[in-house]
């Protein structure tokens, strides 16, 4: 499984990656991106099985990133990982499959996966 992790908080990225690797082990390849802009520059359809993005980042929010993703790939699984419930409704507009609330623990990550 190839997973993109998009978050400007390195500590959150590392924690989330550790939980994911704990669940999937060697069957998982993760790639980190510190901004939506950095991710969108590299993104192409079919490159990832799962994309997990924070909402509050630089110029492009996670919602903006999700909309751009959906222009190219309608099928990839999207998850928002954020500290706010403010955008939960908008997550449905981009067909997100989960809304992971920070701070998260292993049980929430297991539920997401």
């Amino acid at each position: 499984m190839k997973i993109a992790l998009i978050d400007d908080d390195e500590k959150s990225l590392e924690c989330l990656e550790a939980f994911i690797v704990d669940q999937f082990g060697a069957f998982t390849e993760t790639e980190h991106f510190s901004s939506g802009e950095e991710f969108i520059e590299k993104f192409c359809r079919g490159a990832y099985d799962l994309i997990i993005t924070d909402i509050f980042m630089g110029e492009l929010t996670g919602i903006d990133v999700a909309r751009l993703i959906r222009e190219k790939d309608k099928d990839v699984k999207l998850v928002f990982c954020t500290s706010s419930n403010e955008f939960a409704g908008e997550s449905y507009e981009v067909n997100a499959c989960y809304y992971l609330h920070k701070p998260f623990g292993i049980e929430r990550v297991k539920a997401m996966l």
Side-chain angles (χ1 to χ4, degrees), residues 44-61:
C44 63
R45 186 176 193 274
Y48 302 97
D49 301 300
L50 175 63
I51 300 169
I52 303 172
T53 184
D54 187 19
I55 289 181
F56 298 107
M57 303 179 291
E59 282 189 41
L60 285 179
T61 68

Side-chain angles (χ1 to χ4, degrees), residues 24-101:
F24 288 111
F27 301 104
T28 303
E29 179 184 344
T30 59
E31 205 169 339
H32 295 201
F33 299 91
S34 60
S35 71
E37 293 85 357
E38 179 187 2
F39 174 76
I40 290 299
E41 281 182 26
K42 183 173 180 184
F43 177 70
C44 63
R45 186 176 193 274
Y48 302 97
D49 301 300
L50 175 63
I51 300 169
I52 303 172
T53 184
D54 187 19
I55 289 181
F56 298 107
M57 303 179 291
E59 282 189 41
L60 285 179
T61 68
I63 297 292
D64 296 330
V65 170
R67 288 184 178 130
L68 292 168
I69 290 167
R70 286 296 181 229
E71 288 177 8
K72 294 182 179 181
D73 192 334
K74 303 279 188 220
D75 300 319
V76 67
K77 290 184 174 142
L78 284 174
V79 170
F80 289 105
C81 181
T82 188
S83 58
S84 170
N85 287 328
E86 181 180 350
F87 296 94
E90 287 182 70
S91 70
Y92 291 106
E93 294 174 15
V94 292
N95 197 25
C97 62
Y98 201 80
Y99 201 88
L100 182 63
H101 195 269

Side-chain angles (χ1 to χ4, degrees), residues 12 15-20 22-23 81-82 98-113:
S12 288
C15 182
L16 185 56
E17 180 180 46
F19 288 153
I20 290 169
D22 181 60
Q23 293 301 299
C81 181
T82 188
Y98 201 80
Y99 201 88
L100 182 63
H101 195 269
K102 291 180 185 178
F104 51 83
I106 188 68
E107 292 306 316
R108 286 186 182 171
V109 174
K110 283 181 183 179
M112 173 194 66
L113 298 172

